[in-house]
Amino acid sequence: MKTISPRPATPQFDSHAMIELHGIVKRFSNAAGVFTVLKGVDLTINRGEFVSIVGKSGSGKSTLLNMVTGIDHPTEGQVVVNGSDIYTGITESQRSNWRGKNLGIVFQFFQLLPMLTLLENVMLPMDYVNLYDFDERPKRAMELLTLVGLEKFANKLPMLVSTGQQQLAAIARAMACDPPLLVADEPTGNLDTRSADTIIQLFEGFVAQGKTVVMVTHDPSLTSRTHRNIIISDGEIINEAVSKCLPQLRHRHMLQFTKIAEDRIYQPGETIIARDQPVDYFFMIRKGGVEVILLDKENQEYIVSSLGKGEFFGDVELLNGGKAIANVRASGNAPVEVVAIPRADFMNVINQSPITAEAIGKIVQKRLDDHRIADHRSVRAN
Ligand code: ADP
Ligand code: MG
């Protein structure tokens, strides 16, 4: 077997990145016509990140993973994994060899070979890419089965162990060649919660060793255990500031905000909203922090609250008549990155989304109360 590796990507690529997707479009053609599943996806996942990907059934999650693993190929765009452009200038068999050495793949339905024991299943990838000495392979496979708690079942056929144990064996197999990247497509989708928990703990262990883990999941309770959650809606990636700030929004509304969101950067100390001035945007913080500032009776400034990544502002003004009740200013030593949504678009989505309206309404009420308390305090201080 040839062992030519994919061509290294040109140096413009980010060395911190494990996965870079640039303008990925995927179309399928069938009798009914052409169907675009991925509509220009840009995404970077860094080394050592534990990332979950969620989205409705049919939104393109598996198709997206298949672009990263090289199982399928994009119609347009570029995929760089572990520093290599995996589609330019290499053959299918070279890609397959590269895949065996660089990534582990876990599927929802395990896909163990039924005629082989668990130990033989785990040895298979080492045989395939001819990694590790022939005599060393059984020992290494046994260590991996021990890691996932299956040492006693090493010589059993897959059908003789539970589904949870089959998935654990599939994870041991995925790690056989010690890849830096593990990609899992709904690995817990077919398992009870206890088995699911064991699997997430294993993934956390890999991440603690510096590996990168990307997991598609249906289970919202698992997304809280990853560093970062990516939502895909109808073949497009949701702006992560939008999904973090407004998790109650429906995915289609998140996507609507993603498309109209304006990125803005403010320098430390810069005013974003000025008191008594009209506010025309809803702001979500992507990076850095802001301070909400009021003036006391003697025109001394004081900070009512500090907001950071995943929080928003402008809501009080947009929902209560339009004029700013406080100054909002970029804080800290680094620039603040925000995503801004024009007032009309914001109001439109709020009107269509009662859950979001209620959630934001509660925050608005609390902020108004805080301001009142703060005003009261400043009066008493005088
Ligand atoms: P998800 O994993 O989010 O449920 P998929 O990525 O499997 O979604 O599929 C996204 C869409 O692409 C679906 O509508 C599916 O029918 C379509 N699709 C996936 N693979 C193919 C294919 N090989 N040929 C035609 N359509 C496909
Ligand atoms: Mg899928």
Side-chain angles (χ1 to χ4, degrees):
M1 183 183 296
K2 281 193 196 154
T3 53
I4 302 165
S5 297
R7 185 192 292 178
T10 43
Q12 80 209 38
F13 296 106
D14 182 356
S15 62
H16 297 297
M18 174 55 80
I19 299 169
E20 285 177 76
L21 303 179
H22 299 284
I24 298 300
V25 173
K26 179 64 184 178
R27 293 189 200 97
F28 292 111
S29 316
N30 57 23
V34 179
F35 183 55
T36 307
V37 178
L38 299 176
K39 301 172 179 168
V41 170
D42 294 307
L43 179 65
T44 300
I45 293 175
N46 285 326
R47 291 173 193 276
E49 275 197 295
F50 187 9
V51 173
S52 48
I53 300 179
V54 301
K56 294 203 167 65
S57 181
S59 57
K61 303 181 295 296
S62 296
T63 306
L64 185 71
L65 285 193
N66 292 345
M67 300 295 114
V68 173
T69 56
I71 289 175
D72 203 350
H73 60 93
T75 312
E76 287 172 26
Q78 186 182 34
V79 180
V80 179
V81 180
N82 200 16
S84 298
D85 180 331
I86 64 168
Y87 294 104
T88 311
I90 60 163
T91 65
E92 199 61 55
S93 80
Q94 287 164 353
R95 183 154 47 245
S96 162
N97 193 271
W98 169 86
R99 181 193 304 134
K101 289 179 175 160
N102 284 272
L103 53 98
I105 309 179
V106 177
F107 302 96
Q108 183 175 356
F109 296 103
F110 333 130
Q111 304 194 356
L112 297 168
L113 291 185
M115 317 291 262
L116 299 183
T117 65
L118 300 187
L119 190 79
E120 288 164 341
N121 265 287
V122 176
M123 281 165 57
L124 211 56
M126 302 183 229
D127 296 340
Y128 182 70
V129 296
N130 201 14
L131 215 65
Y132 305 105
D133 281 344
F134 188 77
D135 299 338
E136 215 185 298
R137 291 174 197 167
K139 183 169 162 277
R140 176 162 171 82
M142 197 61 202
E143 282 168 6
L144 286 160
L145 284 174
T146 306
L147 173 76
V148 302
L150 291 180
E151 62 278 15
K152 292 202 193 93
F153 303 90
N155 295 315
K156 285 209 182 319
L157 293 175
M159 63 177 288
L160 296 176
V161 301
S162 72
T163 51
Q165 288 166 331
Q166 287 179 51
Q167 190 61 305
L168 289 168
I171 291 169
R173 178 187 57 185
M175 300 315 280
C177 298
D178 198 28
L181 170 62
L182 180 72
V183 171
D185 194 350
E186 304 201 30
T188 65
N190 213 33
L191 305 180
D192 59 276
T193 40
R194 226 176 112 203
S195 304
D197 188 62
T198 307
I199 282 164
I200 300 304
Q201 280 181 34
L202 273 171
F203 288 178
E204 286 168 342
F206 297 146
V207 172
Q209 291 169 27
K211 297 189 184 297
T212 310
V213 177
V214 179
M215 169 181 72
V216 164
T217 180
H218 253 120
D219 184 346
S221 72
L222 299 183
T223 60
S224 61
R225 293 177 65 176
T226 60
H227 296 149
R228 190 173 151 202
N229 182 41
I230 292 166
I231 301 177
I232 177 164
S233 174
D234 202 15
E236 295 182 79
I237 303 276
I238 302 283
N239 183 315
E240 286 170 56
V242 172
S243 56
K244 211 171 166 63
C245 291
L246 299 174
Q248 309 86 354
L249 275 186
R250 284 179 188 282
H251 290 180
R252 68 186 164 89
H253 289 140
M254 287 186 188
L255 188 58
Q256 214 172 320
F257 275 175
T258 297
K259 288 180 175 172
I260 54 181
E262 297 172 18
D263 289 332
R264 297 197 181 170
I265 295 181
Y266 294 91
Q267 297 307 316
E270 197 176 343
T271 296
I272 306 172
I273 289 181
R275 195 173 184 190
D276 294 330
Q277 296 301 304
V279 176
D280 298 319
Y281 289 90
F282 177 74
F283 296 91
M284 293 171 269
I285 304 173
R286 183 207 287 283
K287 200 171 174 191
V290 301
E291 284 166 348
V292 182
I293 297 155
L294 285 176
L295 295 178
D296 68 16
K297 291 259 145 61
E298 262 131 38
N299 274 354
Q300 294 291 325
E301 290 188 343
Y302 65 98
I303 298 168
V304 194
S305 63
S306 299
L307 305 173
K309 182 179 172 179
E311 295 184 288
F312 53 77
F313 56 94
D315 48 302
V316 177
E317 291 77 8
L318 295 186
L319 294 181
N320 283 289
K323 282 213 169 149
I325 57 172
N327 287 311
V328 179
R329 198 184 286 162
S331 59
N333 316 316
V336 177
E337 296 178 25
V338 301
V339 164
I341 305 289
R343 177 188 184 124
D345 298 298
F346 173 74
M347 295 311 293
N348 194 14
V349 164
I350 292 306
N351 290 335
Q352 289 175 54
S353 177
I355 312 171
T356 312
E358 192 190 330
I360 293 181
K362 279 187 186 148
I363 290 172
V364 168
Q365 192 53 53
K366 176 162 187 313
R367 286 179 176 172
L368 288 171
D369 291 348
D370 286 352
H371 282 211
R372 227 164 276 133
I373 292 164
D375 271 342
H376 184 63
R377 254 198 224 122
S378 79
V379 171
R380 285 211 335 208
N382 291 327

